[in-house]
Amino acid sequence: MVISIDSPLDMHLHLRDGRMLDIVAPLSAETFAGGMVMPNLVPPVTSREDVRSYRERILKARGDERFVPYMTLFFRSDYTPEFLHSVKDEILAIKLYPAGITTNSEGGVKGFDIEELSPVLGVMSDLKIPLCVHGETGGFVMDREAEFIPIYEMLAKNFPDLTIVMEHITTKEAVAALDRYDNLYATITLHHLYITLDEVAGGLLQPHLFCKPIAKRPEDRDALSNVALNAHPKVMFGSDSAPHPREKKEAPGCAAGVFTAPIALPALAQLFERNGALDNLQAFVSDNARRIYGIEPIEKEVVLENSPYLVPEIYEGTVVPMFAGQTISWRVLSVG
């Protein structure tokens, strides 16, 4: 069996910087037409110059692959209206992180005082700049996303014209919130469609499956699968592919992140085929994102074949992918 995907998009992607960028950018650029790049570098991307410089580094690192990096800014409550107007055409969204909740988020929002956030969110709403949110509190790790839902609701109610994307949702509570507010959307990762906390820590600890937000319960995975496999019009694929050097994963203080970029499309095809939903894969990995963000990606046809593929153990001696050393049932046949 062979299927074709038209201009696949990864709407939540970590490309890092420096040597890691050089390693992982071509792996996303090979099979995706574009990806929304997260801004949590050190220091974070907070200026027009930062956006332009990082974009140039990505374009250089992608090599000859055809791939458009959709750029983002790291949310700050002191952005001026003049600044937001000046940068609007160079970014696709602004990403809000609660302070200290994930990798390189120490400069994020420390409180969700609507009065403090309103000036920037109001201008974003007027300019039609989407807000992407890492939605977790600082509570008990399994409850952090569910506890954040009232904050999403506050934002959705106060800014009904603002497109708000709940990034990498992991819970049935987040899925339920999608249909309560017209302006709430979501990305869903590959790994959260496959794993629960049991795969991470139910036996021997699997550091390469440790991520934030942490994988949850089977009923949460079922809720995510239901909307993804049925191509719910308000959800889209965002890998949250988050590479770390192997020594940072297999170590005390294990870094959070699952590296899925090079195997994302074949692994999604495997999952959708198993569930009789291959016809919905195009919408999940491209069409919904085009409509939600109002973008028209470059033309890129990725042909996938129902044929065994042995996933590499490691890339460039540095980054271990999900399913390392395992055989999945689909592979990339060609890219055109």
Side-chain angles (χ1 to χ4, degrees):
M1 183 189 304
V2 173
I3 63 169
S4 175
I5 302 296
D6 174 40
S7 299
L9 298 168
D10 183 344
M11 300 310 292
H12 186 117
L13 178 62
H14 294 274
L15 291 178
R16 309 303 191 204
D17 213 346
R19 178 169 181 259
M20 186 63 77
L21 171 62
D22 292 337
I23 293 171
V24 303
L27 296 174
S28 283
E30 180 181 8
T31 53
F32 285 90
M36 187 150 77
V37 183
M38 295 297 105
N40 55 329
L41 303 182
V42 179
V45 178
T46 58
S47 73
R48 189 177 182 183
E49 292 72 26
D50 290 341
V51 170
R52 289 178 170 179
S53 177
Y54 190 27
R55 185 176 188 274
E56 286 304 312
R57 297 197 299 276
I58 293 168
L59 294 177
K60 181 179 179 181
R62 75 175 180 184
D64 295 330
E65 303 289 352
R66 292 179 297 114
F67 174 85
V68 175
Y70 297 107
M71 306 306 293
T72 60
L73 275 176
F74 191 98
F75 183 92
R76 287 176 48 166
S77 60
D78 61 353
Y79 288 142
T80 65
E82 293 76 17
F83 169 71
L84 292 172
H85 275 84
S86 74
V87 79
K88 175 186 182 298
D89 292 337
E90 305 204 34
I91 61 172
L92 188 59
I94 295 179
K95 177 68 181 291
L96 187 154
Y97 293 90
I101 206 68
T102 190
T103 303
N104 301 336
S105 64
E106 289 73 19
V109 174
K110 293 183 178 178
F112 285 84
D113 180 347
I114 196 67
E115 296 300 321
E116 181 182 353
L117 301 177
S118 285
V120 171
L121 295 181
V123 177
M124 288 176 61
S125 184
D126 292 340
L127 294 177
K128 305 301 181 187
I129 300 173
L131 175 71
C132 300
V133 184
H134 182 122
E136 291 190 284
T137 70
F140 179 67
V141 69
M142 290 292 284
D143 298 331
R144 290 176 180 177
E145 182 174 281
E147 289 175 351
F148 199 89
I149 299 301
I151 298 175
Y152 280 130
E153 294 177 331
M154 174 191 70
L155 295 172
K157 289 177 182 176
N158 279 276
F159 301 95
D161 296 324
L162 178 64
T163 295
I164 301 169
V165 181
M166 303 184 291
E167 294 292 349
H168 45 51
I169 60 172
T170 64
T171 60
K172 61 184 188 296
E173 288 85 359
V175 170
L178 276 172
D179 292 323
R180 293 202 297 269
Y181 300 93
D182 290 342
N183 56 331
L184 276 186
Y185 301 86
T187 56
I188 299 176
T189 76
L190 169 69
H191 49 283
H192 287 118
L193 290 172
Y194 267 95
I195 66 173
T196 67
L197 186 58
D198 212 36
E199 280 73 36
V200 183
L204 294 177
L205 183 65
Q206 301 299 315
H208 295 287
L209 295 180
F210 172 62
C211 58
K212 289 185 178 179
I214 198 166
K216 303 299 193 303
R217 301 170 178 83
E219 56 266 33
D220 295 303
R221 180 180 59 185
D222 291 346
L224 299 176
S225 296
N226 181 56
V227 290
L229 293 168
N230 286 290
H232 188 295
K234 296 181 79 176
V235 302
M236 51 196 155
F237 177 62
S239 69
D240 194 20
S241 182
H244 293 280
R246 182 174 186 172
E247 63 269 20
K248 296 290 187 181
K249 293 292 292 180
E250 299 175 7
C254 171
V258 182
F259 181 54
T260 58
I263 52 90
L265 290 177
L268 283 169
Q270 174 178 267
L271 183 67
F272 275 62
E273 183 214 5
R274 285 176 179 175
N275 289 277
L278 270 177
D279 288 344
N280 292 332
L281 184 57
Q282 172 70 39
F284 180 61
V285 299
S286 186
D287 296 349
N288 287 355
R290 299 187 202 194
R291 175 174 36 78
I292 292 167
Y293 279 103
I295 55 177
E296 188 54 48
I298 61 172
E299 293 185 8
K300 190 169 188 174
E301 182 185 36
V302 180
V303 179
L304 302 170
E305 179 184 39
N306 187 199
S307 176
Y309 175 66
L310 179 63
V311 177
E313 294 274 1
I314 195 167
Y315 288 88
E316 298 292 329
T318 300
V319 193
V320 176
M322 188 177 182
F323 300 126
Q326 300 178 43
T327 298
I328 57 178
S329 59
W330 284 77
R331 65 168 62 234
V332 175
L333 181 62
S334 65
V335 179

